Amino acid sequence: MLDKNPGKVNIVIKHFPLQSHKFARRAAAVALAADRQGKFWECHEKIFENLRTINEAKVQEIALEIGLDLEKLNKDSRDPAIDKLINRDVINGRQSGVRGTPAIFVNGKRLNNRSLAGFQQAIDAELKKM
């Protein structure tokens, strides 16, 4: 969508760790800590590739694989500021009616048709309003 709409759209990630996944909150904190080393997307993608088997050992393996400083990652992932950000995202998600992930919104409106065509239609509709 970014390539098809250069300069017109932005992606905003909100963390909504599901309570049913015992490692989801830790995974969100690790991805945010990886961002401090400029590796959010690499970490995010690897976590989702390993979603069913993610645990602390796997996180450490991913961190090494993508070249993160483990000591910094482990310290930053436990930073209260990261915890506060995740809490804010969860509250925002609940207020927006999010019950599961992924939930996709275009300009604050839930996207039901998550095909590429549906995504583009929603973007086009919002761009027309501007």
Side-chain angles (χ1 to χ4, degrees):
M1 292 297 100
L2 291 174
D3 291 340
K4 289 184 177 190
N5 302 280
K8 296 179 183 175
V9 297
N10 293 309
I11 294 177
V12 176
I13 297 286
K14 300 275 187 164
H15 299 275
F16 196 82
L18 300 175
Q19 291 179 346
S20 61
H21 193 299
K22 67 181 179 180
F23 204 77
R25 188 169 186 93
R26 174 82 175 122
V30 167
L32 288 166
D35 186 47
R36 293 183 178 179
Q37 295 182 48
K39 301 268 186 163
F40 174 82
W41 287 111
E42 292 95 332
C43 187
H44 180 271
E45 287 173 19
K46 290 288 183 182
I47 287 170
F48 272 90
E49 284 173 14
N50 294 280
L51 192 61
R52 302 253 185 249
T53 60
I54 198 74
N55 59 29
E56 193 62 38
K58 190 64 176 176
V59 164
Q60 300 301 309
E61 181 184 317
I62 289 168
L64 288 172
E65 183 181 332
I66 64 175
L68 292 172
D69 175 331
L70 282 178
E71 188 175 326
K72 181 171 175 35
L73 179 76
N74 289 323
K75 180 181 178 222
D76 288 346
S77 67
R78 288 173 171 75
D79 182 339
I82 284 181
D83 193 50
K84 185 176 179 180
L85 176 61
I86 294 169
N87 287 338
R88 186 186 74 200
D89 284 354
V90 169
I91 290 167
N92 181 253
R94 286 183 182 142
Q95 290 170 337
S96 299
V98 173
R99 292 193 189 118
T101 61
I104 301 171
F105 292 80
V106 175
N107 227 19
K109 296 176 185 155
R110 185 185 295 269
L111 181 66
N112 293 317
N113 179 354
R114 294 192 289 186
S115 69
L116 288 176
F119 218 135
Q120 190 61 56
Q121 287 172 348
I123 290 169
D124 290 343
E126 290 303 310
L127 290 173
K128 282 181 184 176
K129 295 177 184 177
M130 299 175 94

